[in-house]
Amino acid sequence: MSRTSALVELNKDIMHLADKSVWRVAPGHLSRIAEWAPGVEVTVEKSDNAMWQYKLTVPGSTGLVSATPSSGKLVLGSSMRDVMTADEMYHATQG
């Protein structure tokens, strides 16, 4: 099962999606997200990888990106607010 959400912000290896989920991208996959821009639709799917539990893709991009849920804090500019972790958001949308 997969779900899709728009990219809000990309800060080095941390990706924030519109559904308020936050992801840490695998270091070896950072070059794959270099062309991803805010607003692009990101598909999130569960992975079989124990360390990087999810795979993220964008239509027309250069393959999948391995990621793991990051902290439950979303930082946009100078504001910080509590949000659901990526894992909580994924499971909430699957029920």
Side-chain angles (χ1 to χ4, degrees):
M1 201 92 214
S2 66
R3 65 181 177 81
T4 303
S5 185
L7 175 64
V8 173
E9 182 179 50
L10 185 58
N11 187 1
K12 297 181 183 171
D13 65 338
I14 301 295
M15 183 180 300
H16 304 238
L17 300 182
D19 64 6
K20 299 183 181 178
S21 62
V22 182
W23 303 91
R24 178 173 306 278
V25 176
H29 293 180
L30 294 177
S31 62
R32 297 179 187 172
I33 62 172
E35 76 274 4
W36 295 11
V40 70
E41 290 294 316
V42 178
T43 299
V44 179
E45 294 180 81
K46 201 75 161 130
S47 171
D48 293 333
N49 186 316
M51 183 167 188
W52 302 99
Q53 306 93 347
Y54 294 88
K55 50 188 173 183
L56 312 178
T57 56
V58 167
S61 70
T62 56
L64 70 87
V65 172
S66 295
T68 191
S70 191
S71 71
K73 299 286 185 183
L74 177 65
V75 180
L76 295 173
S78 60
S79 66
M80 182 181 287
R81 55 196 163 104
D82 290 325
V83 296
M84 295 174 83
T85 64
D87 200 43
E88 291 168 336
M89 182 64 69
Y90 182 86
H91 291 294
T93 62
Q94 298 305 306

